[in-house]
Every structure is written in structure tokens, then in C-alpha cells.
């Protein structure tokens, strides 16, 4: 049973940029894309150990939408959390979070 | 006692069966990795037994422990342990081997039967018999526990004594020098004591040893040659206090590291009756079998032809041989000539280079030595060649070991050019790479040949250096072969008809310089326009900041424009430089290094209030570290109110202009260098470029501002200013070259305007001025024609672009503080904008704080963390009892 936690207004998000949210003590990185989708992954960067994924640059790799760690430039698929470029390390994926926008409010599922 | 014959779990008599590996180090990991990689359908299972409590870790990079890399971060590719056929038991040493029953017994009493046993117990750190070696504060430098104990001892002892520690390292070999560098990094002074007449005496000749001594002394490490440790004497409180040397002198010491060589850990093998070499180690033949056909030995414990290797590369090669043999193959071990490279020794963060291979002392009959020594640059390079000067027999490189990785694979082969051509400081002969024979080992750590690298391209479809690294493991251990690997891969790609891409990334098929020209010519104004006209997709971490920088340089897209916000990396987004824990540094501009007591007081107040770590930076400024994203606006408001502005310490832009005190105060100065420094800094502040750039101004030819180590260096003369360009400190130091002489103030500004504008226009992404000048067709002479004589007729345009920048300049922080939309970016959490990241933690160090490492006493609030006790005090200890 998914529990939905409202975190912010959709208007608080900038397109192609991320923000961090605290959901029951868990740090989630939320990204609003150009096409209006909002995607959520873990904010914890498993490579550096810092909570910085939300501050990474959004981009594309082929058809996939990606985020790059601002710390050491590892790249993940924002939809699946799959690590696409581990920058020479063993790949570690990110947990993904369900996100819904209802009546202009962004909800994170847990 | 019942004797149970070992029964194979499944499979036939030629299968490896139950493989037990004693020792969980790097070569054990390699063996498991290779077994999995071979993926053959043989029946096997592997149990690896290690006495250390950690998974196999990267001992080669042990010193990175002090950069915060703990056991988990240093662990070698841990995914191999997830395979169902692999079992890893750590923290329990093997106590004995029963070869009749084919079973090993651990200290904890666990019995593990085997069909094949592999001994990979490695070495132990040997120390000479020295009275007092058991005193607290005397340590070795070989394992994670060693380096952890060293760090803990230094922290605790520093607290007890209330002053920086005096350290000594006994042994001036590769590891000893690494330990000395570690002592320095931990805040202790270091003296290296070496019994031989030179440092790295096993690997270096006299000239190389002397050059290295000078380099190590430059680090501030004392070097004592030709003397050894006789005894250690305790301080009044029982810890080590004095080191007595064999020449009768003494050293006051608070910590002593012994690094006096290694010996094979062969006790288990001795006790189980296996053949042992004369100088220790388990005797193996070319198949790596010991005197028992079911027992193998690999790595530093294996004695092949009377020699135990002391490096990881031969151990990896032996692991590969055993895997092949176990799987029914016929591979044999043949020792490859090895080289040694100094690692982990840092001088102000820059690696001290020293390396050698082959016949270092030219002992081969008729061998010739070709030497190039530069006492000013403190470099020493020597090639040893056969009597006809054709075949490479050895090499020594100190101060600059770039040739080591490219020439070491040529050992024993024809050089193909006059040996002196390789050593010439500039315009040296092209180092061979394309025509390297297939059997030459390119990466000796992972034992990968040139043929394997080529095969990765031609047969396995690798299309980049990253692919080849992943596919072959080449370049993934010590990394010193990466330049050679890159050349080899690119040459092979071209030969295979694959065009080596000059594309910036998958979204833009051209270089930064080409894109700059297109954006300028077509007047494009946003990323969307640029990508629509010349790219594909929605961009990435490579091209987005490049386009942002181009737009900023062209004056059409300010760093702060909302349309540009998604393009900026976090530094330009937060107008601050991200640190390792995700907090930021705060560095206001301090032009010319001049700062009033009033501004100093504001900086002090802010740092104290927010608990920020404070230090003078390398650029004559004051940096405050540890500011959280949500704190940045309030902190900067205080600084801006006090008349300070952003120092762009986060941008690919001008950082600072360093100057000496100059004519105003100095009795040698011939011009006002501080005044000119301030003028230049205020002119170019905020100017975005392909990479960061720095400027220096010296008031006379004594060059106290070290201007020739900067991107732009200005040096006063009796008649005006000389300007030098393309200098660099950093990873590849280079002196700036003279661009123009005896300029007056106005002409100086115009020439620098032209140089910077031209660099910004035509350099590659992340290319600093040094390589840009070096790679410019025709070099500095041609640049002089363009920028001083205006042969291309572009100087007016170049000057105009800088004039536009000066005109449009605004302080990024003042502008941000005045804009509520931009301020909204500085929230820790969108649903809790002022809640600090709960995972941040700080620990005290030298009266300030730093990010806590795993398991340290820490506090989330840096102000509180500054006062916490690192260890329980004596009173608390009594309470606890």
C-alpha cells in the first residue's frame, strides 16, 4: 500500500533542475523535466557518501533521461535509477521513488 | 581420528573442485575475479580465508586512507563475493594445514577441506632487531590496521602533548617515503632515516637518488642517509620519545614508522612441510605448484627461482596462471621485467615522481648511459642502452616520470631513435606507441599486453579508453599507463576506420572552439536555441556548462539568468564551491591580498558564528569551509554588507591575481605591483573561460609573486611591464612564456585583454592556458604575431569583448541577494527549507572542525563539534569503571 506524502507545489520546481525533499526522514531528490514529468530518486550519492544527487545536472543519454552527480560525475537513469556511468568504480544504482502530481501538489510515495 | 578422503562436490577428476585460498589480499581477489571471468563450465567453488577483518582491499593505494577512503572505499570490486560459488571468511587466520587430509583449520577451529589449496598469504613487515621497538608510538605501514593505528596515535598523542608531533620513518624506500608523506599529511613533522647512501636505494642510481633527496627535502622532510636505527628510548610517560641512530646522533620523536622491508609469510607452509626457498617463501615452479601437487602459491609468498616478488603485478600474473591450470590449461609463469614507481608522496598536493626499470646501474657489459639532469628544474632522467645504443636496457626518472610509462614497455627492445632525443626537455622524440609489438606489456599491474588492448578494439567492439579499461582492466590499478593506453586505443580506433571523435559529447558533434564560433556568428542566445541548431537531445553534464560558459563569455547569458540555471553545475548554481560532504566554501574577493581590519573582523564573526573551518587559501585569500546550502545567503549578506563581493572561487573564471608587495614598501621593487594586481583583478573578475585562470604580478625580476607559474604573469621592469602567458602550477607545472616586453600600463591591459579573449574563444573545453599555448600552431611566436602585431586583424574585436565584460560586471552575490526568485534555490529541502542535512557530522582538528570520517566522535553542529573531546577524558573513564 503506497502512502503518498505531499512535499511541495509543482510551481516550486524549476524545469530540468532538482530539489531535495525529506520524506519520513528519507532524503529524496525530485526533478521536474521539460515534458512536465516529475521523477524521484535517492538523494544520497552512494559513491561520495554525500546527499547531493538533487544538485546534479539533468540531461539525456540516447533516449534516457539522466542525472549526474555533482561530486564525481557518476551518471544514473532518472527513471530506473540504473547507474549508467560509474566513472571507473563498480556501478551502484539509486533507489527510485514514485511521484504523483495531484491538483498542483507533488506527492512522493513510500 | 577418522581419516575422510576428500570427495569432490560434483564434476569429474579434472575439475578444480573445492578451491581454498589462504590469504585475502589483492592476488586472492584477482584469482577469484579471473575464475569468474573465465566462466567455463567446470565444477568449482572457492573459499577465501583472510586474517584481516576486511574484504580484500587496494593495498597499493593504502595512503588514500588519509583522504577518507575507508575499508569499504578501498575494497576491490566487491561484487565477486556475491557469486554463489564464492565464500569469503574474514577475521580468522588459518592456523594449520593438514596436507594428508587435505583440510585447513582456522584459529577459530573451523575445518575447511580442499581439493586445491592456494597459498596467498603475502608478506609481513620486517623490522631490524631494535631495542624499544615495542614502545607505544612505534608502528609499521602495511595494512589498514597499521594506517588506522598511525592516525589514531597521532591524534591522541597530539592532544596529550598539545603540539604538532615529531615523526621519524626508518627506511627510505618507496613505502618509507609514502609513510613520511602520510606523517606530514597528518600534521606531524617527518625525518626519514635510511641506512643506504641514497633514497630508494634498490631502484635508483646515485644521480636519481640525489635528485629525489632534494625533492623530498623540499617537502620539508628531513633526510638522514647512511645511518640506521639502533634503539628507541621511552619518554617519561612510557611512549616513544627518542630515536638513537647508528652514527651516535639522536632524534626527538613522538611517533616512529618502521618501513625496512618485507618477508614472505611462509610459516604455514613451513609447518606443513612444503619446500621453502633459501631466502624464504614457498618454492613454486612455472605452474605455480608447490612441492605438493594439490597446493599452489601466488603473490609475495611464492618463491620462483629463489625470488619472492614484492609488487602486485607478478602476483596477478601468477593468479592468472593458477586459474588457467585449475581449469585444465597449460599457462606458465614467466617473470616479466618489473619497474617501480614512487606513489602517494605529495608535495603541496602534487605527486613527487620517481621511477625506474631494468638495469638501473648499467651493469650489463658495454652498457651506455645517457643522462639528462636539470638541477634548476630538479629533474633527472637516464636511459641505459646496449653498446650499439639501439636496445633499451633500463631507465631512471626523478622529478618527471612521464617517460616511465611509455618507455618501460620497450625494455629489451629497439628504441627506434637516438636515446638522447627522448630526454630532451622540449621537442623530444615522439614516444613510441602505435608500433608497440603485440606482446609488450602495457599495464603491468593487470598484466595486459598491447595485443590485448588492440584486440579489445578490433574483436570486442570497444570504442573508447573507458570501454577498454572495463574490458581488459588495464589502467585500473595504479593508473600510470593511462596516457600510453589512450594513445594505443586511439591509434587502433583510427586504424580500424573508426573516426576518433572530437565531439564534445553525444549531444554536440564539434569541439568547444567550433561551437563558440557558431554561437557567436549566429547570435544564439539560449541553450534551447543552441541545441536546436547544432545538437541533439537535452544536453548533459559536459555540454550544458560549456554552453553556459560560451553564452556568458559572449555577454548574452549571464551566469544568473533563469534560462541558464539548469545549465550550471552546482558550483555556479550555488555561487560556491562544493566540498566533499556536500557543503560549500565561502571565499570573498580580496584584491591584491589587501584587507582592512574591519573586514577581517566581519569574516571572523561569520566564521565563529557558523562554525566554519577557516584558512588562508593558496591565492592570498581567506576561505571559510562547511557552509550549508541554506546558510549561504545569510553568510553572504553579512559579507556584502561589509563591502565584500564574490571571489568566484567556484567558477571556471578568474580566481585571483597574486602580487608581491612591490615598490610601495619593497626596497627592490621597480613598479607598483599591488596596484597593478588590484587593477587586473577588478578588470577580469567574473570573466567566464574554458577553465579557471590565475594571474600574477611581480614588482621586480626577483619574481616573488611567482607570476610565471600563472596563466598570465606580469613582471615589472625599469621601463614598464613584461607579460608572460601559459604558465601553470597544478598537475603539470609549466613556466609562462614571454609574450611582450616593456609595456606601459595601458598597453599591458590591452595585450592581456587580447590574450584572454582569444583563449576564451578558441580553447577546448576544460583546457587551461598552458596546453592551449603549447598546442597553438606555431607556438608562442605565432601567438605573438596575432596578439601583439595583430596579423589576423582581430585585436579590436578581442578588446571589445573584454570591454563589454567590464561594462556589464555586477557582483553575483549582491545580485542574488536582491532577487527572491534566485534566493529560493538556497533551500536544504523543498519541504523543510531550513532543516540541515541530518547526515552532516564534524569532528575537531587543530582547534577547528573537518567532516567526520566513519566511526569518529562527531557532532552535526560544527560550533559544538569544535569543543567535543575526541577521546573519553580520564574522569569519564573512571566513571565508566
Amino acid at each position: 500500500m503506497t502512502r503518498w506524502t505531499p512535499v511541495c507545489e509543482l510551481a516550486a520546481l524549476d524545469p530540468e533542475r532538482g530539489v531535495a525533499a525529506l520524506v519520513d526522514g528519507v532524503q529524496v531528490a525530485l526533478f521536474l523535466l521539460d515534458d512536465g514529468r516529475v521523477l524521484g530518486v535517492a538523494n544520497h550519492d552512494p559513491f561520495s557518501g554525500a546527499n547531493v544527487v538533487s544538485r546534479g545536472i539533468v540531461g539525456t543519454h540516447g533516449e534516457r533521461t539522466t542525472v549526474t552527480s555533482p561530486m564525481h560525475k557518476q551518471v544514473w537513469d532518472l527513471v530506473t535509477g540504473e547507474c549508467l556511468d560509474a566513472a571507473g568504480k563498480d556501478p551502484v544504482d539509486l533507489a527510485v521513488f514514485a511521484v504523483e502530481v495531484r491538483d498542483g501538489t507533488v506527492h512522493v510515495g513510500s | 581420528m577418522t581419516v575422510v578422503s576428500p570427495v569432490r562436490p560434483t564434476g569429474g577428476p579434472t575439475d578444480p573442485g573445492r578451491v581454498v585460498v589462504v590469504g585475502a589480499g589483492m592476488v586472492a581477489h584477482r584469482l577469484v575475479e579471473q575464475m569468474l571471468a573465465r566462466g567455463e563450465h567446470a565444477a568449482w567453488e572457492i573459499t577465501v580465508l583472510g586474517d584481516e577483518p576486511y574484504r580484500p582491499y587496494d593495498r597499493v593505494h593504502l595512503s588514500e586512507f588519509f583522504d577518507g577512503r575507508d575499508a569499504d572505499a578501498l575494497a576491490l570490486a566487491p561484487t565477486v563475493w556475491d557469486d554463489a560459488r564464492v565464500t569469503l571468511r574474514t577475521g580468522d587466520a588459518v592456523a594449520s594445514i593438514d596436507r594428508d587430509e587435505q583440510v585447513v583449520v582456522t584459529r577459530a577451529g573451523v575445518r575447511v577441506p580442499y581439493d586445491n589449496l592456494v597459498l596467498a598469504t603475502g608478506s609481513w613487515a620486517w623490522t631490524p632487531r631494535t631495542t624499544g621497538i615495542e614502545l607505544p608510538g612505534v608502528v609499521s605501514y602495511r595494512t589498514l590496521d597499521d594506517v588506522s593505528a598511525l592516525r589514531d596515535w597521532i591524534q591522541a598523542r597530539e592532544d596529550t602533548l598539545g603540539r604538532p608531533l615529531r615523526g621519524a620513518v626508518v627506511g627510505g624506500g618507496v613505502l618509507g617515503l609514502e609513510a613520511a608523506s602520510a606523517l606530514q599529511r597528518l600534521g606531524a613533522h617527518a625525518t626519514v632515516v635510511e641506512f643506504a647512501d641514497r633514497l630508494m636505494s634498490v631502484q635508483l642510481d646515485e644521480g636519481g637518488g640525489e635528485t629525489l633527496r632534494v625533492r623530498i627535502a623540499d617537502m620539508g622532510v628531513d633526510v638522514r642517509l647512511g645511518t640506521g636505527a639502533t634503539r628507541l628510548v621511552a619518554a617519561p610517560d612510557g611512549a616513544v620519545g627518542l630515536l638513537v641512530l647508528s652514527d651516535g646522533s639522536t632524534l626527538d620523536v613522538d611517533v616512529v614508522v618502521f618501513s625496512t622491508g618485507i618477508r614472505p609469510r611462509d610459516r604455514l607452509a613451513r609447518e606443513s612441510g612444503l619446500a621453502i626457498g633459501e631466502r624464504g617463501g614457498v618454492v613454486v615452479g612455472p605452474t605455480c605448484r608447490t612441492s605438493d601437487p594439490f597446493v599452489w602459491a601466488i603473490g609475495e609468498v611464492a618463491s620462483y627461482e629463489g625470488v619472492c616478488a614484492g609488487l602486485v603485478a607478478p602476483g596477478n600474473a601468477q593468479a592468472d596462471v593458477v586459474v588457467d591450470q585449475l581449469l585444465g590449461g597449460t599457462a606458465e609463469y614467466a617473470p616479466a621485467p618489473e619497474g617501480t614507481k614512487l606513489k602517494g608522496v605529495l608535495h603541496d598536493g602534487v605527486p613527487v615522481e620517481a621511477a625506474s626499470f631494468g638495469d638501473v646501474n648499467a651493469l650489463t657489459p658495454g652498457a651506455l648511459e645517457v643522462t639528462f639532469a636539470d638541477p634548476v628544474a630538479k629533474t633527472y632522467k637516464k636511459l641505459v642502452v646496449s653498446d650499439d645504443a639501439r636496445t633499451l636496457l633500463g631507465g631512471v626518472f626523478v622529478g618527471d616520470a612521464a617517460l616511465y610509462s611509455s618507455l618501460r614497455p620497450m625494455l629489451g627492445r629497439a628504441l627506434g631513435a637516438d636515446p638522447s632525443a627522448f630526454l630532451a626537455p622540449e621537442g623530444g622524440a615522439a614516444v613510441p606507441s602505435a608500433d608497440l609489438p603485440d606482446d609488450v606489456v602495457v599495464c603491468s599491474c593487470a598484466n595486459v599486453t598491447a595485443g590485448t588492448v588492440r584486440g579489445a578494439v578490433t574483436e570486442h567492439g570497444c570504442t573508447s579508453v573507458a570501454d577498454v579499461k572495463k574490458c581488459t582492466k588495464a589502467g585500473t590499478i595504479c593508473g600510470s599507463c593511462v596516457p600510453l593506453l589512450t594513445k594505443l586505443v586511439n591509434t587502433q580506433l583510427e586504424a580500424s576506420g573508426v573516426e576518433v571523435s572530437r565531439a564534445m559529447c553525444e549531444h554536440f558533434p564539434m569541439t568547444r572552439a567550433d561551437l563558440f564560433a557558431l554561437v557567436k556568428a549566429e547570435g544564439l542566445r539560449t541553450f534551447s536555441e543552441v541545441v536546436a541548431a547544432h545538437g541533439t537531445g537535452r544536453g548533459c553534464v559536459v555540454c550544458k556548462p560549456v554552453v553556459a560558459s560560451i553564452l556568458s563569455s559572449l555577454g548574452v547569458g549571464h551566469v544568473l539568468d533563469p534560462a541558464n540555471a539548469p545549465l550550471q553545475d552546482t558550483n555556479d548554481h550555488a555561487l560556491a564551491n562544493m566540498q566533499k560532504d556536500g557543503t560549500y566554501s565561502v571565499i570573498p574577493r580580496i584584491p591584491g591580498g589587501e584587507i582592512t581590519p574591519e573586514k577581517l573582523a566581519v569574516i571572523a564573526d561569520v566564521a565563529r558564528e557558523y562554525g566554519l573551518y577557516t584558512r588562508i587559501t593558496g591565492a592570498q585569500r581567506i576561505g571559510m569551509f562547511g557552509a550549508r546550502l541554506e546558510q549561504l545567503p545569510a553568510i553572504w549578506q553579512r559579507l556584502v554588507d561589509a563591502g565584500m563581493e564574490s571571489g568566484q572561487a567556484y567558477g571556471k573564471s578568474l580566481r585571483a591575481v597574486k602580487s608581491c608587495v612591490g615598490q610601495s614598501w619593497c626596497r627592490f621593487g621597480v613598479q607598483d605591483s599591488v596596484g597593478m594586481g588590484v587593477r587586473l583583478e577588478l578588470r577580469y573578475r567574473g570573466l567566464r573561460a574554458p577553465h579557471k585562470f590565475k594571474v600574477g604580478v611581480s614588482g621586480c625580476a626577483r619574481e616573488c609573486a611567482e607570476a610565471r607559474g600563472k596563466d598570465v604573469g606580469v613582471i615589472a621592469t625599469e621601463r614598464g611591464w613584461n607579460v608572460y602567458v601559459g604558465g601553470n602550477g597544478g598537475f603539470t607545472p609549466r613556466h609562462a612564456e614571454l609574450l611582450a616586453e616593456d609595456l606601459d600600463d595601458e598597453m599591458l591591459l590591452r595585450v592581456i585583454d587580447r590574450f584572454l579573449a582569444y583563449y576564451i574563444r578558441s580553447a577546448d573545453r576544460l583546457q587551461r592556458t598552458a596546453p592551449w599555448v603549447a598546442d597553438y600552431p606555431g607556438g608562442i611566436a605565432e601567438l605573438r604575431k596575432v596578439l601583439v602585431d595583430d596579423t589576423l586583424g582581430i585585436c579590436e574585436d578581442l578588446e571589445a569583448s573584454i570591454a563589454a565584460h567590464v561594462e556589464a560586471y555586477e557582483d553575483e552575490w549582491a545580485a542574488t541577494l536582491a532577487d527572491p526568485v534566485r534566493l529560493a534555490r538556497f533551500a536544504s529541502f523543498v519541504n523543510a527549507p531550513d532543516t540541515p542535512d541530518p547526515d552532516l557530522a564534524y569532528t575537531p582538528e587543530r582547534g577547528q572542525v573537518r567532516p567526520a570520517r566513519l566511526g569518529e566522535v562527531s557532532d552535526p553542529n560544527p560550533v559544538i563539534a569544535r569543543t567535543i573531546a575526541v577521546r573519553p577524558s580520564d574522569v569519564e573513564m573512571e566513571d565508566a569503571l
Side-chain angles (χ1 to χ4, degrees), chain A residues 7-8 12 15-17 19-22 27 33-34 48 50-52 55 57-62 65 68 70-71 73 90, chain B residues 77-78 506-507 538-539 541 544-545 565-570 573 578-582 584 828-831 837-839:
Chain A
V7 291
C8 64
E16 301 284 280
R17 196 85 222 180
V19 297
L22 260 185
Q27 296 198 24
L33 306 185
D34 264 349
S48 68
N51 299 313
V52 294
R55 289 176 256 169
I57 286 183
V58 175
T60 54
H61 177 57
T65 298
T68 303
M71 197 65 78
K73 310 284 184 251
D90 282 336
Chain B
E506 68 176 89
H507 307 101
R538 302 210 310 280
V541 71
K544 279 181 158 182
L567 309 182
Q568 312 289 3
D569 69 27
T570 187
H573 198 66
M578 182 185 270
Q579 304 299 309
K580 65 191 294 180
D581 62 350
Y584 294 88
S828 51
F829 299 101
V830 70
N831 57 344
D837 178 347
D839 293 343

Side-chain angles (χ1 to χ4, degrees), chain B residues 601-654:
Chain B
V602 172
I603 290 175
D605 284 347
V606 167
R608 193 156 40 203
E609 199 169 307
Y610 289 88
L612 305 177
Y613 166 73
T614 310
R615 75 184 292 268
I616 309 289
T617 71
Q620 296 186 332
R621 316 202 271 195
I622 298 171
M624 291 171 275
F625 294 74
R628 303 193 302 268
L629 185 65
E630 70 275 18
Q631 294 176 322
L632 288 170
I635 289 173
W636 273 102
Q637 188 70 60
R638 298 267 292 273
L639 300 174
V640 168
D641 287 348
M644 286 177 262
E645 63 175 0
S646 170
Q648 273 90 26
Y650 44 83
K652 306 275 181 255
S653 58
L654 174 73

Side-chain angles (χ1 to χ4, degrees), chain B residues 147 195 228 425 451 469 474 592 631 642 759 793 798 865:
Chain B
V147 291
F195 197 75
K469 278 177 156 183
Q631 294 176 322
Y759 160 66
L798 294 174

Side-chain angles (χ1 to χ4, degrees), chain B residues 787-806:
Chain B
L787 298 178
V788 182
D789 308 333
D790 199 12
T791 50
L792 297 181
I794 57 170
C795 286
E796 195 180 328
D797 190 34
L798 294 174
E799 287 175 36
S801 66
I802 299 293
H805 164 77
V806 173

Side-chain angles (χ1 to χ4, degrees), chain B residues 243-257:
Chain B
L243 171 61
V244 182
L245 301 179
S246 57
D247 62 8
S249 64
T250 60
L251 287 173
D252 290 326
V253 288
D254 309 305
V255 55
V256 178
V257 182

